[in-house]
Amino acid sequence: SGKFTATGAIGLWQCATCQVGFYSSSPGSSTCFTCDPGKYTNDAQTECLACPAGKVAGVASSSCSVCEEGKYASGEANSECLACGAGKYANADKTDCMNCPAGKISGVASSECTVCETGKYAEG
């Protein structure tokens, strides 16, 4: 597993390691496969694992990436991070958007809320 058969230089069959981001789950395989978006290959390249919440992966990934500031990915096996809406901010582990407290505001895709200008207010 994690390898596939390929023709060698003198016509003999030999096992070759799958490329990074590809896997082979059964012995005797002649092909490597890609993982679906939101999943990545394990170190042995024998299976696909789901990215945890707060992280994402595209097709043929060997690891997951943390969401950018102000974005989140809830649940497992996400292929893209979503922007938090205005009045919200992404929590520290990038798994959800939280409401700004009263007296603070944020724009779209914010990682924190800011205090209102002097003389203005925001309801929570």
Side-chain angles (χ1 to χ4, degrees):
S1 297
K3 296 180 183 273
F4 70 105
T5 54
T7 304
I10 53 176
L12 300 175
W13 290 96
Q14 61 185 7
C15 291
T17 302
C18 294
Q19 293 178 324
V20 173
F22 289 74
Y23 76 99
S24 172
S25 61
S26 58
S29 180
S30 61
T31 306
C32 293
F33 303 95
T34 59
C35 293
D36 292 334
K39 296 184 177 187
Y40 66 101
T41 55
N42 64 345
D43 290 339
Q45 293 176 268
T46 57
E47 66 179 324
C48 296
L49 304 172
C51 290
K55 295 185 177 185
V56 296
V59 175
S61 295
S62 59
S63 64
C64 301
S65 302
V66 176
C67 291
E68 301 168 22
E69 292 297 317
K71 294 186 176 185
Y72 74 101
S74 62
E76 294 184 337
N78 290 291
S79 60
E80 65 179 324
C81 298
L82 304 174
C84 292
K88 297 179 181 255
Y89 66 98
N91 62 0
D93 58 4
K94 313 284 179 40
T95 59
D96 200 3
C97 293
M98 311 299 290
N99 290 324
C100 289
K104 293 190 174 187
I105 59 169
S106 74
V108 174
S110 293
S111 58
E112 62 183 24
C113 300
T114 56
V115 177
C116 293
E117 296 175 33
T118 302
K120 296 186 177 183
Y121 74 98
E123 296 177 358

